């Protein structure tokens, strides 16, 4: 995930737009990445070997920041 952090411009989670990458963990030390779909939902693979799913952001598992690639 760390190399993907530099794919674009960092944005706050309050400014996310569909297509942004969302990261969990501190910058330079992220441990999970997803693709923001809009409406508080993101696409991700929960863990290696599991099916890619759509999930909703929650206070339990909120991304730390986003990266706008376009």
């Amino acid at each position: 995930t760390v190399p993907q952090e530099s794919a674009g411009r960092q944005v706050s989670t309050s400014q996310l737009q569909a297509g942004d990458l969302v990261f969990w963990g501190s910058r330079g030390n992220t441990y999970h990445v997803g693709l923001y779909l809009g409406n508080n939902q993101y696409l991700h693979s929960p863990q290696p070997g599991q099916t890619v799913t759509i999930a909703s952001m929650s206070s339990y598992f909120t991304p730390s920041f986003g990266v706008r690639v376009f």
Side-chain angles (χ1 to χ4, degrees):
T1 61
V2 175
Q4 292 173 305
E5 294 175 16
S6 61
R9 171 174 68 86
Q10 184 172 336
V11 295
S12 70
T13 55
S14 64
Q15 299 297 316
L16 291 172
Q17 295 178 3
D20 290 345
L21 298 175
V22 286
F23 294 89
W24 285 260
S26 59
R27 191 162 181 93
N29 196 31
T30 52
Y31 60 89
H32 192 65
V33 63
L35 179 67
Y36 187 66
L37 300 174
N39 295 322
N40 220 30
Q41 294 187 315
Y42 61 96
L43 183 71
H44 75 135
S45 178
Q47 58 188 20
Q50 286 192 335
T51 303
V52 173
T53 61
I54 294 174
S56 294
M57 290 194 283
S58 68
S59 58
Y60 171 74
F61 194 58
T62 302
S64 306
F65 63 94
V67 169
R68 184 148 307 135
V69 181
F70 53 92

